[in-house]
Amino acid sequence: MKQWLVYLILSGIWLIAAVVNMADGRPSAVIGFNVFAAVLFAALSAGYALLSRKYGETGRWKRLLHLSALLILVVVFLIILLLS
């Protein structure tokens, strides 16, 4: 299975989780993080699809893509911790 398809499926799962959490009346921080995770996985999926067409299956751009996603995730976690 292509890696971009896996990330697209994970994005859909997080989006479904956000809808279920909205229906259950969860706090907005939980719903916001679910939406953020869905957007992050969708961006990873788009990045994989675009970069694999341009550069093929090399490892350097994969590492950079994963590193950028990890840095974004750490920044969002720090912001959530500072706000709560």
Side-chain angles (χ1 to χ4, degrees):
M1 184 177 277
K2 298 282 186 183
Q3 192 72 26
W4 66 269
L5 188 59
V6 172
Y7 285 133
L8 194 61
I9 290 170
L10 285 172
S11 175
I13 290 171
W14 277 101
L15 201 56
I16 290 170
V19 170
V20 168
N21 283 333
M22 274 195 291
D24 284 345
R26 303 275 179 162
S28 60
V30 173
I31 297 167
F33 183 75
N34 287 339
V35 171
F36 166 73
V39 168
L40 183 67
F41 280 119
L44 277 171
S45 175
Y48 260 90
L50 293 174
L51 291 174
S52 66
R53 286 188 201 140
K54 186 172 183 179
Y55 296 112
E57 293 297 323
T58 61
R60 184 169 184 227
W61 63 265
K62 287 181 184 180
R63 284 192 304 262
L64 290 174
L65 191 62
H66 285 148
L67 183 63
S68 64
L70 180 66
L71 289 175
I72 291 170
L73 188 62
V74 166
V75 167
V76 168
F77 276 146
L78 288 176
I79 290 171
I80 289 173
L81 286 174
L82 290 175
L83 292 178
S84 62

